[in-house]
Amino acid sequence: MLALDSCLTEVMAIPGALDAMLVDHTSGMAVSFSGQPRGVDADKAAAALTEMLRASMDGLSRACPGDTVRIGDLLISTDQGHHLIRLMDTLFEGPLVIYVRLDMERSNIALARHRLRAISEQLLA
């Protein structure tokens, strides 16, 4: 089992990882942050990520009425990089989100998704 404090160390070891954050999906609060870029308020960023996830889930449920919507991960690509978000339901902390920002040139999205899935499984074990 992976501890919360070492989780972001593992995430930051993903090739091309620039920064990462653990977010409590219920409260929208940052649990932990690593590699903070200048000018980023972790709590405001965590709250904004939580609202984006809620809007995504709401939009998907409206687009697929009657279906159960469960998001495993989300990938958003911008001109500055890739943003990978993994949702988890933990027994001890409630719903958590792992967010990682990846360098566009140095990252491999498939590898990053694979590693993030493995890290989340270790955290949940």
Side-chain angles (χ1 to χ4, degrees), residues 3-97:
L4 282 178
D5 55 346
S6 60
C7 174
L8 288 186
T9 303
E10 292 288 323
V11 173
M12 290 301 292
I14 295 171
L18 299 172
D19 50 68
M21 184 174 12
L22 272 176
V23 177
D24 179 323
H25 189 261
T26 302
S27 69
M29 298 290 294
V31 175
S32 184
F33 200 93
S34 181
Q36 184 171 359
R38 286 184 218 214
V40 172
D41 181 328
D43 289 324
K44 287 182 180 179
L49 284 169
T50 300
E51 288 304 313
M52 184 267 309
L53 286 168
R54 288 182 183 142
S56 297
M57 284 189 230
D58 184 53
L60 288 170
S61 0
R62 290 174 192 264
C64 308
D67 289 351
T68 301
V69 176
R70 184 173 176 342
I71 296 174
D73 59 34
L74 279 166
L75 171 67
I76 300 167
S77 294
T78 66
D79 57 347
Q80 299 296 313
H82 304 293
H83 305 263
L84 186 55
I85 302 163
R86 176 93 183 158
L87 285 82
M88 304 177 297
D89 286 322
T90 62
L91 297 174
F92 51 91
E93 292 287 332
L96 288 178
V97 175

